[in-house]
Amino acid sequence: MGNELNQERRDLVVGLDAGGTRTRAVLATADDGRPVGEGAAGPGNALTVPLPQLTEHLAEAVGRAVPEPVRDRVVAVAGGFAGATGAAADEPGRRNALAALTAALRRLGIDAGPPVIGSDIEAAFASAPGAPADGLALVAGTGAVAMRITDRRGTVTVDGDGWLLGDDGSGFWIGRAAVRAALRMADGRGAPTVLAETVGRELGVPGDALPGGAAAGGAVRRLSPDVVPGGAEGASRDGRHEAVPPVTGPGRSGGAGGAGGRSAGPGPSGAGRRGTAGSGRFGGAGAEGGRSAGPEQPGGGGWSVGPGQSGGGGAVGGRGSAGPEQSGGAGVWGGRPSGSGQPGAGGRSAGPEQPGAGGWGSAGPGESGRAGAVIGGVAGSPAVGRRPLPPHDDTPWSRPHREAYRRHLLPAVMAEPPIRLARLAPLVVAAARDAEDPVALAILDEAADQLTETVRALDPRSGERVVATGGLLGPDGPLTDRLETRLRALGLTLDWVPDGCRGAVALARLAHGGRT
């Protein structure tokens, strides 16, 4: 690279992709954008990384990408930053990014004029072939966010709200779901899963407390796809798996097959804690209830239900209330609001005569869309060719060892920043791929559902381009095929880019062209 740069004195530009995990800088020729150098350093989130540390990371990445003898030839610098946007000059993340990058360039002796600051999503979108100006962008890595791009600036943002409030479907979300599944298995609320052992090992739980430990009584049995054959009539066969319902047992104040809500009036068929059911679990005439049920109700359809409703085999409540005389089909999961007499579930709310697929809609009789169930800790994954798994009471893992497992696991999780749970996502991928673990498969399916809803919230138009980046969506990404299938149903195609560096270079070249 050094000889090539020294042989011809060409103008150069720098593009930066500063994400939550690392900062990457690329040096390129200004006339054709050909990369001639690169460097990397630590995290570059403009909202979460302290300003001095952010400046240090930017200086390190740019310094490695740009040899000192050619720094006077850099004519433009552009950076895409997690936590920043180019849409508003007074936005806090943009101010931090501009201050840190300006200081880093000054330290390196690079005088290229004011740097161009944007979000990492805007830079990733510009990385697509042709450096498009308009469309949709999706990032699914440690975090998750989608954005509508107009004239190369983000105009609408969905999610990206961080580990506490959002990032649904992200690596963090998947890692947290893995820990929750492990804990639910340990305390008796969840189905058996190899994640209990692999998550425990990763977090340093002593071997004798693991479900695979000798003192614990042996390994968790491997659950093959043939453990629970069959499923709801009309379920599609696209290879997806039903989520596993919470462990239930007799004597929880519920009638046969009924599940109560948080509180129930006199005479409901199920009355207990949310998500628990009487004997028969999801079978029979009852359905899983919501928060409160009125008198004489044999099944609950959501948070509250009206009189005269009955659930079909395995109908599960959602958020909204159901209209009169609706009955659930086999394995149907509820939705937000639903009018009366709707034969199908579609989108967030289903209109009359809609036979469409799952989403958030609630289903009435004759459901022709996807069937689904609710997993403890992972809700809304569709059911395809599966019945709920049996409780794990026969798993050889004694109660004292389960308690020891919890005592070790919880402090290990709490000792790290929550976002570090993203490092557990590969364990879910491995469990789904290698062990065909139904709980892991359900987590990945739900992650893809969450990302689809994130894109759907941007009101996409059929045929629009969705430029995606992040480790979950690469050519070998665990969510790529799942997401492509869902987006195809919306008339959308997915274009993947490795990161935002190429787009940042394109933005720097555009800035240079505008200045000359």
Side-chain angles (χ1 to χ4, degrees):
M1 180 196 73
N3 291 334
E4 181 182 358
L5 288 176
N6 291 331
Q7 286 173 358
E8 47 182 333
R9 188 170 181 83
R10 303 171 68 179
D11 289 339
L12 303 171
V13 297
V14 175
L16 290 124
D17 179 42
T21 303
R22 67 168 184 165
T23 298
R24 183 166 171 247
V26 169
L27 178 68
T29 53
D31 54 355
D32 59 9
R34 181 167 50 89
V36 291
E38 65 176 81
N45 188 302
L47 282 179
T48 61
V49 178
L51 202 57
Q53 189 177 351
L54 179 61
T55 302
E56 190 66 33
H57 291 170
L58 294 172
E60 183 179 353
V62 174
R64 290 175 175 175
V66 187
E68 189 170 357
V70 301
R71 290 175 185 174
D72 62 333
R73 290 158 53 186
V74 176
V75 295
V77 177
F81 288 80
T85 177
D90 60 346
E91 190 269 329
R94 186 184 189 282
R95 289 202 310 265
N96 291 346
L98 180 60
L101 185 52
T102 300
L105 295 175
R106 186 183 303 119
R107 182 187 303 178
L108 295 171
I110 296 175
D111 182 13
V116 177
I117 302 295
S119 74
D120 56 338
I121 311 167
E122 292 163 340
F125 184 79
S127 294
D134 304 288
L136 308 176
L138 174 66
V139 178
T142 302
V145 59
M147 184 177 287
R148 176 170 289 283
I149 308 292
T150 304
D151 194 23
R152 298 194 170 86
R153 294 300 187 192
T155 55
V156 181
T157 303
V158 177
D159 206 349
D161 298 326
W163 66 267
L164 181 61
L165 301 175
D167 285 348
D168 297 335
S170 67
F172 157 76
W173 186 96
I174 292 171
R176 182 186 62 182
V179 176
R180 295 182 69 184
L183 288 170
R184 291 178 72 86
M185 178 181 171
D187 66 21
R189 293 177 296 157
T193 171
V194 298
L195 292 173
E197 180 177 351
T198 58
V199 166
R201 288 189 187 282
E202 179 67 22
L203 293 176
V205 174
D208 59 358
L210 295 171
V220 176
R221 58 193 175 94
R222 179 179 180 274
L223 297 175
S224 74
D226 300 324
V227 171
V228 280
E233 276 297 318
S236 63
R237 307 297 182 194
D238 62 356
R240 300 174 63 198
H241 294 71
E242 178 177 3
V244 184
V247 173
T248 55
R252 289 259 194 167
S253 303
R262 289 192 175 177
S263 60
S269 68
R273 296 185 182 277
R274 183 175 61 176
T276 61
S279 59
R281 300 167 68 191
F282 286 74
E288 183 162 323
R291 290 197 172 177
S292 61
E296 307 279 330
Q297 295 171 345
W303 278 357
S304 61
V305 297
Q309 297 172 328
S310 64
V316 183
R319 294 196 175 181
S321 60
E325 299 190 7
Q326 293 180 312
S327 62
V332 178
W333 56 289
R336 289 183 176 174
S338 174
S340 61
Q342 296 170 347
R348 295 206 171 185
S349 60
E353 305 294 328
Q354 291 181 341
W360 286 94
S362 63
E367 164 75 44
S368 63
R370 300 181 311 189
V374 172
I375 182 174
V378 181
S381 292
V384 177
R386 289 184 172 272
R387 293 191 181 95
L389 287 171
H392 72 279
D393 295 334
D394 59 340
T395 300
W397 193 18
S398 70
R399 176 59 67 182
H401 286 96
R402 295 183 190 201
E403 290 298 310
Y405 179 91
R406 290 175 54 83
R407 286 196 303 271
H408 286 94
L409 190 73
L410 288 171
V413 172
M414 302 305 176
E416 296 184 345
I419 199 68
R420 286 277 291 151
L421 290 176
R423 69 186 172 92
L424 303 179
L427 301 181
V428 180
V429 176
R433 180 190 62 232
D434 302 334
E436 297 183 357
D437 184 86
V439 173
L441 287 161
I443 290 172
L444 296 182
D445 278 340
E446 176 64 6
D449 287 341
Q450 294 286 354
L451 294 177
T452 303
E453 288 301 309
T454 299
V455 173
R456 192 198 299 268
L458 292 171
D459 296 323
R461 297 181 293 274
S462 181
E464 276 196 294
R465 156 186 266 172
V466 180
V467 177
T469 190
L472 297 177
L473 297 177
D476 299 320
L479 300 185
T480 304
D481 290 343
R482 289 173 168 86
L483 186 61
E484 283 183 332
T485 299
R486 288 156 174 80
L487 293 182
R488 196 176 300 122
L490 301 176
L492 304 173
T493 57
L494 195 67
D495 293 330
W496 181 79
V497 298
D499 57 31
C501 282
R502 179 184 297 178
V505 166
L507 296 175
R509 292 177 63 213
L510 287 169
H512 174 57
R515 293 169 187 168
T516 58

